[in-house]
């Protein structure tokens, strides 16, 4: 008898809980009925990008207090989950009113499927001038811009100054000097370069720089967009140089099975001397209080060296990161456009000061108190002769998949540089 | 009595079955039909669909990468089935009143209580080439260049099988243990009186009596392996360069990374067909003429 009573009690409580759960959800929906609701989805969770998350919260709060009756509903997902959810939502035509997108290749299917609204009117209302030139273009297809970029990144090589000092090393200017640095570190039992090539785009950065230095930025851009060829001897040589580095054990052991996150922690714990990553990581080496001061002070950066005396050191691999889009079928399009415009303006200032990242809008560095490394990177960026957009972002998803797999195979020594070039060419020609 | 009365009414039976049937229909059979249908389309998952007939299915059959991934899935199925022997042996030992059997059983069950992602994170750390416990141990034993487990394309697949098998060990041990505990003690006693050795009891008496359960676990292991996804996705993403790709991860990659929902759906449907065929074959092979009774 007693047992029965307990079971009954449990069943009833769980039922009540379910009902409460449901009604909670219903409440949220009805609260917005008197005003307008902008759904906003972003990919900077509190855990992994605390500063970004905080800035977004502030901007949303400011926007809501400036605009009576408009409510912004925020949903946060981490990077990979975000990409998956975008796909699922767009198949059922339920994209959020405002969300984040990447440039070029990522954007294309959404534009072709008529999912993103044109943001030309937002730009023409004066916002265009506040962007660094070349950044909004990456989000444009045939003169229509579908995304407003938030970040601008280039990828320098960060290095641990104290490790360099201990081994009596200087910052290399040429590839020959670079090899010397690698050889010395390797001899002294330090992993020269931290690389997490499970993520694949990390290795792609190294190849792209090598190709840029040997073949030049124009040839590289042409090869990536399909008008040139990856079978150009310069690019085969670049692939061979990558294998030369892997043969020298320039990268940490087992890099093909390690994520970028794991590689980063190797660099940040002083196990590896160098690490190439985008400038979105700058806060870790400048302002992030969670990283020991001692380590932050010992990190410097240098530009990818010239190779065979060729190449321009101020040519970078990089480009705008995520940008904001407005959904074409949004029922609050006007408010959504106001929101992205407000967001971009606010982001420009706060991202510099609070997060220490480089926004796609122009930064007035002099009026702010910024870490020296940040100012240096900003100067390099302003003096850059060229920025080649990340290959996997620029290529169509199919070609990017081939490229990324080939990168893993090239670094892993599974294929020859010639086969690497061939596979690319095949993928690019089958596109047409 | 009244229960029997209600159950004799065919309409009442249908009525009681209906809710579950509707759920299964909506959640399983309709999506199945839809994925077969999407497989006939050229569709990037975002824009308009275009009907292209059997092209995706024809491409899939000729796609070497798909067959590579299918081979990997079958390898996993093979090892999962093989490992059942070990689990069965462990369960026999656990069920035979040894000291601490209860505690050991719980220890074996722990991996089952962890989520796949947690297991993946754990084993990523174990396999870490320079800081992982495995390579640290090997280096301590004097191995000079321990392998990079998840980076070497020749090893990665087998390396990743270990946590997958480990993950499900507790599940099968639990099933076998329960089945073995169900065998009446009198049978074992009788065998002992007749002079059967423990090995004979295990092989001649216990095993035949739980044959039904063993068959079910074989099907579970094979089907589970063929559609396996979780750890592969988290630990290697199918890499390096497809060396650890299985059918489900290949399907996911096509649909979500290369924006080819039509092709991905076709692969998904093929995965179902392959799994169904294998299941039927396994059932046929393990079919018994006579059911043993206690």
């Amino acid at each position: 008898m007693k047992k029965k009573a307990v079971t009954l009690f449990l069943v009833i409580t769980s039922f009540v809980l379910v009902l409460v759960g449901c009604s909670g959800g219903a409440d949220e929906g009805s609260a917005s009925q008197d005003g307008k609701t902008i759904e906003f989805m972003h990919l900077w969770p509190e855990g992994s990008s605390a500063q970004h998350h905080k800035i977004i919260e502030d901007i949303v709060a400011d926007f809501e207090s400036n605009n009576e009756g408009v409510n912004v509903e925020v949903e946060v997902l981490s990077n990979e989950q975000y990409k998956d959810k975008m796909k699922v939502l767009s198949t059922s035509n339920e994209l959020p009113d405002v969300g984040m997108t990447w440039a070029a290749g990522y954007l294309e299917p959404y534009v072709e499927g008529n999912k993103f609204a044109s943001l030309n009117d937002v730009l023409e209302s004066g916002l265009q001038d506040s962007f660094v030139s070349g950044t909004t273009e990456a989000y444009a297809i045939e003169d229509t811009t579908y995304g407003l970029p938030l970040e601008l990144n280039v990828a320098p090589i960060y290095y641990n100054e104290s490790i360099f000092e201990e081994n009596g090393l200087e910052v290399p200017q040429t590839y020959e000097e670079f090899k010397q640095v690698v050889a010395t570190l390797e001899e002294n039992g330090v992993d020269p370069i931290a690389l997490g090539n499970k993520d694949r785009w990390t290795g792609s950065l190294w190849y792209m720089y090598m190709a840029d230095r040997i073949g030049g930025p124009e040839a590289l851009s042409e090869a990536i967009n399909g008008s040139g060829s990856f079978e150009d001897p310069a690019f085969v040589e670049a692939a061979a140089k990558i294998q030369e580095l892997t043969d020298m054990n320039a990268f940490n052991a087992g890099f093909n099975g390690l994520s970028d996150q794991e590689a980063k922690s190797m660099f940040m714990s002083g196990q590896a001397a160098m690490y190439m990553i985008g400038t979105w990581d700058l806060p870790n080496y400048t302002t992030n209080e969670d990283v020991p001061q001692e380590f932050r002070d010992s990190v410097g950066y240098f530009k990818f060296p010239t190779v065979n005396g060729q190449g321009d050191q101020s040519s970078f691999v990089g480009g705008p990161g995520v940008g904001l889009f407005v959904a074409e079928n949004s029922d609050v399009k006007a408010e959504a456009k106001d929101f992205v415009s407000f967001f971009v303006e606010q982001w420009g200032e706060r991202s510099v000061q609070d997060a220490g990242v480089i926004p796609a809008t122009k930064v007035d560095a002099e009026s702010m108190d910024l870490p020296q490394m940040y100012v240096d990177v900003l100067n390099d960026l302003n003096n850059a002769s060229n920025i080649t957009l990340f290959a996997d972002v620029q290529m169509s998803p199919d070609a990017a998949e081939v490229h990324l797999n080939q990168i893993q195979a090239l670094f892993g020594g599974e294929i020859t540089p010639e086969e690497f070039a061939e596979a690319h060419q095949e993928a690019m020609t089958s596109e047409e | 009595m009244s229960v029997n009365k209600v159950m004799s009414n065919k309409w009442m039976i249908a009525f009681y079955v209906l809710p579950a049937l509707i759920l299964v229909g909506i959640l399983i059979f309709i999506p199945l039909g839809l994925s077969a249908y999407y497989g006939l389309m050229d569709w990037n998952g975002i824009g308009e669909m275009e009907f292209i007939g059997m092209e995706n299915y024809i491409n899939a059959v000729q796609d070497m990468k798909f067959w590579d991934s299918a081979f990997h899935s079958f390898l996993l199925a093979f090892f999962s089935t093989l490992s059942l022997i070990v689990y069965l042996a462990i369960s026999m030992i656990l069920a035979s009143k040894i000291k601490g059997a209860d505690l050991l059983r719980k220890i074996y069950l722990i991996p089952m209580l962890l989520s796949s992602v947690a297991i993946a994170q754990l084993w990523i750390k174990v396999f870490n080439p320079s800081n992982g416990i495995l390579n640290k141990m090997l280096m301590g034993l004097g191995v000079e260049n321990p392998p990079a487990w998840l980076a070497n394309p020749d090893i990665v697949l087998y390396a990743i099988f270990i946590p997958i098998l480990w993950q499900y060990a507790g599940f099968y041990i639990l099933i076998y243990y329960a089945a073995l505990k169900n065998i009446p003690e009198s049978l074992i006693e009788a065998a002992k009186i007749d002079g059967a050795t423990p090995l004979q009891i295990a092989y001649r008496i216990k095993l035949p009596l739980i044959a039904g359960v063993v068959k079910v676990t074989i099907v579970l292991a094979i089907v589970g392996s063929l559609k396996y996804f979780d750890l592969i996705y988290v630990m290697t993403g199918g890499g390096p360069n497809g060396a650890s790709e299985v059918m489900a991860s290949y399907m996911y990659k096509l649909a979500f990374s290369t924006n080819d929902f039509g092709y991905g759906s076709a692969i998904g449907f093929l995965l179902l067909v392959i799994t169904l065929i294998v299941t039927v074959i396994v059932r046929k092979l393990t079919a018994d003429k006579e059911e043993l009774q206690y």
Side-chain angles (χ1 to χ4, degrees):
Chain A
M1 221 42 225
K2 239 184 190 169
K3 242 188 185 171
K4 247 187 190 165
V6 171
T7 323
L8 196 68
F9 172 73
L10 283 177
V11 168
I12 291 174
T13 8
S14 55
F15 218 79
V16 169
L17 280 177
V18 168
L19 283 178
V20 169
C22 291
S23 65
D27 268 351
E28 253 169 68
S30 62
S32 58
Q33 260 169 16
D34 32 304
K36 288 184 171 175
T37 302
I38 303 174
E39 290 166 33
F40 173 44
M41 206 162 90
H42 73 82
L43 46 84
W44 286 317
E46 202 167 0
S48 54
S49 343
Q51 285 125 323
H52 291 64
H53 186 87
K54 179 80 182 34
I55 297 172
I56 289 190
E57 271 185 352
D58 290 349
I59 295 179
V60 166
D62 285 355
F63 182 77
E64 281 177 336
S65 62
N66 288 352
N67 296 271
E68 273 304 311
V70 181
N71 181 23
V72 181
E73 222 178 86
V74 183
E75 185 179 356
V76 194
L77 295 154
S78 69
N79 198 314
E80 293 306 310
Q81 278 91 332
Y82 182 89
K83 284 182 181 167
D84 289 353
K85 183 138 191 186
M86 279 290 286
K87 293 256 167 65
V88 174
L89 289 179
S90 65
T91 42
S92 52
N93 231 342
E94 283 168 7
L95 284 178
D97 300 309
V98 179
M100 288 179 173
T101 175
W102 288 263
Y106 180 86
L107 186 85
E108 241 174 61
Y110 291 92
V111 171
E112 274 168 26
N114 209 16
K115 302 290 180 197
F116 290 174
S118 158
L119 295 174
N120 280 5
D121 46 343
V122 179
L123 284 173
E124 278 155 18
S125 65
L127 205 56
Q128 180 74 69
D129 293 336
S130 50
F131 282 104
V132 176
S133 70
T135 52
T136 53
E137 280 81 346
Y139 294 83
I141 291 175
E142 289 171 4
D143 292 333
T144 311
T145 308
Y146 296 94
L148 300 183
L150 294 178
E151 315 162 292
L152 179 58
N153 294 300
V154 292
I157 301 172
Y158 298 94
Y159 72 104
N160 190 324
E161 281 169 359
S162 32
I163 296 182
F164 267 50
E165 222 164 273
E166 277 163 32
N167 293 283
L169 296 167
E170 300 269 326
V171 167
Q173 302 293 328
T174 67
Y175 179 63
E176 286 63 39
E177 288 171 16
F178 181 74
K179 274 202 297 190
Q180 204 52 55
V181 168
V182 166
T184 313
L185 288 168
E186 160 72 10
E187 241 165 66
N188 298 349
V190 182
D191 278 330
I193 305 164
L195 170 68
N197 208 26
K198 183 170 105 185
D199 294 339
R200 306 183 295 180
W201 54 265
T202 40
S204 170
L205 292 179
W206 284 92
Y207 173 74
M208 281 189 73
Y209 268 117
M210 210 62 103
D212 171 273
R213 295 296 186 262
I214 301 174
E218 287 93 41
L220 180 61
S221 292
E222 279 164 18
I224 290 173
N225 69 28
S227 57
S229 166
F230 270 100
E231 284 176 311
D232 183 322
F235 298 142
V236 178
E237 194 193 336
K241 284 264 193 303
I242 289 291
Q243 291 195 325
E244 188 178 60
L245 284 179
T246 57
D247 288 344
M248 289 171 71
N249 290 331
F251 304 99
N252 51 289
F255 51 79
N256 261 351
L258 294 175
S259 67
D260 175 53
Q261 206 59 41
E262 289 168 282
K264 183 179 300 180
S265 67
M266 285 186 77
F267 176 65
M268 296 190 46
S269 62
Q271 283 187 56
M274 291 177 277
Y275 174 55
M276 185 196 282
I277 199 69
T279 42
W280 59 76
D281 232 28
L282 267 177
N284 279 338
Y285 315 122
T286 52
T287 52
N288 189 347
E289 298 288 341
D290 296 338
V291 179
Q293 178 80 41
E294 198 192 337
F295 175 76
R296 279 183 280 154
D297 287 344
S298 70
V299 174
Y301 79 97
F302 60 88
K303 295 178 255 182
F304 198 90
T306 57
V307 180
N308 304 343
Q310 289 163 297
D312 178 359
Q313 271 200 288
S314 56
S315 169
F316 287 99
V317 174
V322 293
L324 295 173
F325 72 83
V326 171
E328 177 68 26
N329 69 348
S330 163
D331 44 6
V332 285
K333 219 190 245 175
E335 286 80 7
K337 283 185 177 177
D338 286 346
F339 177 63
V340 293
S341 157
F342 179 79
F343 194 106
V344 167
E345 280 167 31
Q346 296 288 311
W347 176 261
E349 230 171 86
R350 299 201 193 189
S351 62
V352 177
Q353 248 164 350
D354 302 343
V357 293
I358 301 177
T361 41
K362 288 168 190 155
V363 180
D364 181 15
E366 271 157 34
S367 66
M368 285 182 259
D369 180 27
L370 297 168
Q372 191 52 42
M373 182 145 71
Y374 186 93
V375 177
D376 291 344
V377 170
L378 202 60
N379 281 337
D380 282 339
L381 199 59
N382 289 336
N383 298 326
S385 63
N386 164 66
I387 296 177
T388 308
L389 187 58
F390 305 111
D392 58 318
V393 176
Q394 231 181 114
M395 291 173 172
S396 73
D398 278 326
E401 189 61 30
V402 172
H403 167 70
L404 293 171
N405 272 338
Q406 289 296 313
I407 284 287
Q408 263 186 340
L410 177 75
F411 275 75
E414 286 174 60
I415 50 168
T416 65
E418 287 76 18
E419 285 165 343
F420 177 80
E422 233 169 82
H424 275 78
Q425 209 46 43
E426 207 177 297
M428 305 302 279
T429 42
S430 71
E431 296 269 291
E432 263 103 71
Chain B
M1 280 304 124
S2 61
V3 172
N4 281 337
K5 219 176 194 175
V6 169
M7 281 310 168
S8 63
N9 183 343
K10 292 258 159 52
W11 289 106
M12 275 325 266
I13 297 175
F15 178 74
Y16 280 124
V17 170
L18 206 61
L21 195 68
I22 289 175
L23 272 181
V24 169
I26 292 176
L27 294 177
I28 297 180
F29 287 100
I30 292 179
L32 265 183
L34 279 178
S35 78
Y37 167 74
Y38 291 148
L40 301 172
M41 301 288 166
D42 180 19
W43 186 35
N44 64 9
I46 298 161
E48 294 292 303
M49 280 189 236
E50 189 194 334
F51 184 82
I52 51 167
M54 295 299 286
E55 203 180 306
N56 281 331
Y57 291 97
I58 294 167
N59 282 345
V61 172
Q62 294 167 344
D63 184 352
M64 272 324 287
K65 275 191 178 163
F66 171 65
W67 290 115
D68 276 346
S69 70
F71 175 67
H72 297 155
S73 292
F74 275 99
L75 264 184
L76 176 58
F78 174 72
F79 282 110
S80 306
T81 316
L82 217 58
S83 65
L84 290 180
I85 299 172
V86 181
Y87 304 151
L88 190 59
I90 294 174
S91 319
M92 293 245 187
I93 296 168
L94 285 182
S96 66
K97 290 187 206 123
I98 58 159
K99 258 190 199 150
D102 221 35
L103 181 72
L104 282 172
R105 210 182 70 230
K106 279 171 189 137
I107 291 175
Y108 281 118
L109 200 61
I110 287 175
M112 225 185 94
L113 305 178
L114 297 173
S115 82
S116 287
V117 177
I119 291 178
Q121 291 302 336
L122 177 73
W123 282 87
I124 283 175
K125 301 233 154 44
V126 170
F127 281 138
N128 186 301
S130 22
N131 304 325
I133 182 167
L134 183 59
N135 276 7
K136 280 260 160 86
M137 217 162 70
L138 287 176
M139 279 188 267
L141 291 173
V143 180
E144 279 213 3
N145 279 313
W149 300 97
L150 298 179
N152 186 330
D154 300 325
I155 303 176
V156 60
L157 197 62
Y158 303 98
I160 216 167
F161 282 171
I162 294 169
I164 296 176
L165 298 182
W166 179 76
Q167 178 181 18
Y168 287 107
F171 173 69
Y172 292 115
I173 289 173
L174 192 70
I175 291 182
Y176 288 147
Y177 181 81
L180 288 168
K181 277 287 169 193
N182 257 341
I183 297 175
E185 202 57 41
S186 54
L187 281 176
I188 312 290
E189 295 290 328
K192 272 187 190 153
I193 291 168
D194 286 343
T197 63
L199 216 65
Q200 278 173 326
I201 293 178
Y203 191 69
R204 300 263 177 205
I205 296 178
K206 288 182 177 171
L207 191 61
L209 282 175
I210 63 163
V213 174
V214 173
K215 277 184 234 165
V216 171
T217 54
I218 291 176
V219 173
L220 279 179
I222 291 178
V223 171
S225 307
L226 290 182
K227 59 178 197 190
Y228 195 79
F229 177 74
D230 324 6
L231 287 192
I232 304 242
Y233 172 68
V234 183
M235 288 177 71
T236 63
N241 190 22
S244 61
E245 202 86 87
V246 291
M247 284 192 280
S249 68
Y250 188 55
M251 167 187 80
Y252 171 85
K253 203 171 254 180
L254 286 171
F256 284 92
S257 312
T258 63
N259 275 338
D260 214 339
F261 260 77
Y263 194 32
S265 302
I267 299 270
F269 193 72
L270 278 185
L271 170 57
L272 171 79
V273 172
I274 290 174
T275 313
L276 265 180
I277 293 174
V278 171
T279 312
V280 170
I281 293 175
V282 171
R283 304 280 307 188
K284 278 260 152 61
L285 284 180
T286 56
D288 236 344
K289 282 121 235 151
E290 47 183 328
E291 256 330 285
L292 281 169
Q293 297 267 314
Y294 300 25

